[in-house]
Amino acid sequence: VADALIALGNVKSDMSDHERAMVCYQEALQIRMLLYGDYDDRVASVLQNMGIMEFRSKNLVKAREFLEEFMRIRKMNHTDESADYVNVLFIIGNIHKIQGNDDKARENWAEAYAIFNGIGLAEQNPQIAKVLTNLLSGDEQKSKKSGGVLGRLTDGLSGEKVLKATKKKPMKVAS
């Protein structure tokens, strides 16, 4: 049931129905916490979805809360060396940048870059490595030109998509 709620939340998110998406994610979170406990990676993946949803909705404080809780769980479980974790660090860095905290943004991007390289993703994803390098060197214009390439690091723990590089428009249903 939780997986279906997450999938439904993702559909609602793609349709820019953020309120309904968040309701789905909250229900999935409650189910997973009940089944697996508060500190399971499957709980963290729902928090990741919720944080990304809040980030897309420009609710930066709430986004950071969810994403930092994701990070705390993943660190506690020693599952922090992953593409999901790199993606979350990148987003939190962006939140800090938007809020005017450049030092904290670079700190998050540097950690993301270190993990990204450490787990061998740089060789597989040279364009993403370049974006992170540009951000760390302060060349944000080159980073922006690359678009949302970090969105390619999107497979969650149970295969759910948590961030997409492009926005899809909802399918029109013939009446």
Side-chain angles (χ1 to χ4, degrees):
V1 174
D3 290 345
L5 285 166
I6 291 167
L8 184 58
N10 291 342
V11 170
K12 297 293 182 185
S13 173
D14 287 346
M15 295 171 57
S16 297
D17 190 350
H18 303 299
E19 287 181 33
R20 287 192 177 151
M22 192 55 71
V23 168
C24 292
Y25 293 146
Q26 288 169 337
E27 287 183 38
L29 180 66
Q30 289 176 350
I31 292 168
R32 283 190 174 180
M33 288 173 80
L34 200 76
L35 290 174
Y36 307 115
D38 295 355
Y39 308 109
D40 189 87
D41 282 353
R42 290 165 286 205
V43 168
S45 72
V46 179
L47 292 166
Q48 181 183 16
N49 283 341
M50 293 170 78
I52 291 168
M53 181 82 243
E54 293 290 0
F55 179 72
R56 286 180 180 167
S57 300
K58 311 253 187 286
N59 299 323
L60 302 182
V61 172
K62 204 76 166 137
R64 200 170 92 207
E65 288 173 9
F66 287 129
L67 296 173
E68 286 175 347
E69 182 64 10
F70 163 88
M71 288 174 52
R72 191 180 67 71
I73 292 170
R74 295 295 292 269
K75 276 186 179 183
M76 189 176 70
N77 293 334
H78 306 288
T79 55
D80 53 331
E81 292 191 359
S82 70
D84 284 339
Y85 196 83
V86 168
N87 195 21
V88 166
L89 279 168
F90 178 76
I91 293 168
I92 291 174
N94 289 343
I95 291 170
H96 285 299
K97 179 69 176 170
I98 292 165
Q99 294 175 331
N101 191 344
D102 292 358
D103 291 340
K104 197 75 175 149
R106 277 201 180 79
E107 185 181 307
N108 281 269
W109 294 333
E111 186 179 350
Y113 186 71
I115 294 170
F116 187 76
N117 280 321
I119 60 176
L121 292 173
E123 297 83 34
Q124 300 167 13
N125 304 283
Q127 189 177 7
I128 296 170
K130 187 175 180 179
V131 169
L132 287 169
T133 301
N134 290 338
L135 285 170
L136 289 171
S137 69
D139 196 348
E140 294 158 33
Q141 292 306 318
K142 284 186 181 177
S143 303
K144 288 178 184 173
K145 287 179 188 172
S146 298
V149 293
L150 223 63
R152 293 184 187 147
L153 300 176
T154 60
D155 286 333
L157 294 168
S158 59
E160 59 251 18
K161 294 293 182 191
V162 294
L163 181 65
K164 294 169 181 56
T166 58
K167 261 195 159 178
K168 294 180 183 172
K169 295 190 179 186
M171 214 167 66
K172 294 199 180 190
V173 179
S175 33

